[in-house]
Amino acid sequence: DAKTTQPPSMDCAEGRAANLPCNHSTISGNEYVYWYRQIHSQGPQYIIHGLKNNETNEMASLIITEDRKSSTLILPHATLRDTAVYYCIHSGAGSYQLTFGKGTKLSVIP
Amino acid sequence: DSGVTQTPKHLITATGQRVTLRCSPRSGDLSVYWYQQSLDQGLQFLIQYYNGEERAKGNILERFSAQQFPDLHSELNLSSLELGDSALYFCASSVEIDGGGAYNEQFFGPGTRLTVL
């Protein structure tokens, strides 16, 4: 099973950047790193993915280390609506199912 | 709104019964995935269908089965229900572009909350 390690919880002040770390030391060369989040009991929501290079979209930035064994998701200006459980996952072609760990529960504090 | 629909939203039934959960993927998506989320097990992959055929199996019990129809909607059948089957069941869909190294963004539906009494 593809496994990642994330801190169980983090707090972030509203308006500040939230930096969520993830260790994925078992990642294979052709596997992508994905980040999803789940707000309360809603369906998980895709945030961003990356292979080797850093990536940015309208929601977040993803920083992947050169050895690809860890990554950091950055929410540049956290809002109360960003309070959720954030999951870091690695998965590749030929194995598209997502293996969710326990994730990081991010609490954005006013 | 992810574009993935699931029905029903809530389902309450008794042990030993059988239920069917329905999922309609996003328009154009050929792959459908089913996940189970329970309090003690977290989010677990159950099964994947691609264009009508079973593609991958995860931790799916023999009492559970699924299928994907020609119009690409999918159904998850749960039989001989037990108290422990109470959970949120999510369906997700993706385009799934084959070709080595392709990424695969999945879009999740709102889920069906199953309560077995």
Side-chain angles (χ1 to χ4, degrees):
Chain A
D1 281 353
K3 288 187 176 178
T4 58
T5 304
Q6 298 178 252
S9 64
M10 292 181 64
D11 290 341
C12 178
E14 188 178 16
R16 304 296 294 268
N19 295 274
L20 292 87
C22 177
N23 181 295
H24 35 77
S25 57
T26 61
I27 192 169
S28 301
N30 65 349
E31 288 187 318
Y32 284 78
V33 177
Y34 297 86
W35 283 82
Y36 284 76
R37 72 180 182 183
Q38 186 175 25
I39 297 172
H40 194 43
S41 294
Q42 297 177 23
Q45 177 190 23
Y46 164 84
I47 301 173
I48 198 167
H49 74 277
L51 185 61
K52 295 181 183 177
N53 301 320
N54 299 337
E55 302 288 343
T56 296
N57 63 19
E58 66 278 4
M59 288 184 68
S61 294
L62 174 60
I63 309 297
I64 303 174
T65 58
E66 195 170 337
D67 63 5
R68 300 205 330 122
K69 293 184 185 300
S70 65
S71 63
T72 300
L73 178 74
I74 301 171
L75 307 178
H77 305 287
T79 70
L80 299 178
R81 285 183 290 185
D82 292 323
T83 292
V85 178
Y86 287 77
Y87 297 99
C88 164
I89 299 160
H90 58 92
S91 177
S95 176
Y96 292 116
Q97 63 264 33
L98 301 175
T99 301
F100 288 85
K102 296 187 184 302
T104 295
K105 183 172 184 178
L106 175 69
S107 298
V108 180
I109 302 166
Chain B
D1 183 0
S2 67
V4 178
T5 60
Q6 290 187 248
T7 55
K9 287 186 179 179
H10 302 277
L11 199 48
I12 301 174
T13 188
T15 55
Q17 295 299 305
R18 172 189 170 94
V19 297
T20 297
L21 313 184
R22 183 188 168 102
C23 168
S24 293
R26 291 189 322 154
S27 176
D29 284 358
L30 298 179
S31 263
V32 168
Y33 309 77
W34 287 96
Y35 293 84
Q36 178 194 56
Q37 186 172 31
S38 59
L39 282 175
D40 54 345
Q41 294 291 332
L43 261 166
Q44 287 200 305
F45 166 73
L46 295 178
I47 197 164
Q48 176 199 359
Y49 276 80
Y50 175 76
N51 204 19
E53 294 193 1
E54 183 183 302
R55 175 64 68 92
K57 256 185 176 178
N59 300 319
I60 187 166
L61 299 172
E62 286 194 11
R63 300 183 285 108
F64 295 1
S65 64
Q67 54 185 327
Q68 186 178 27
F69 295 87
D71 67 353
L72 301 178
H73 92 270
S74 178
E75 292 180 355
L76 179 67
N77 301 296
L78 315 177
S79 61
S80 303
L81 284 168
E82 302 175 359
L83 296 178
D85 297 328
S86 295
L88 269 168
Y89 291 84
F90 291 105
C91 166
S93 74
S94 72
V95 173
E96 193 189 307
I97 302 169
D98 277 324
Y103 69 90
N104 182 36
E105 174 184 344
Q106 293 185 23
F107 296 85
F108 283 77
T112 293
R113 183 177 292 279
L114 173 66
T115 302
V116 182
L117 300 175

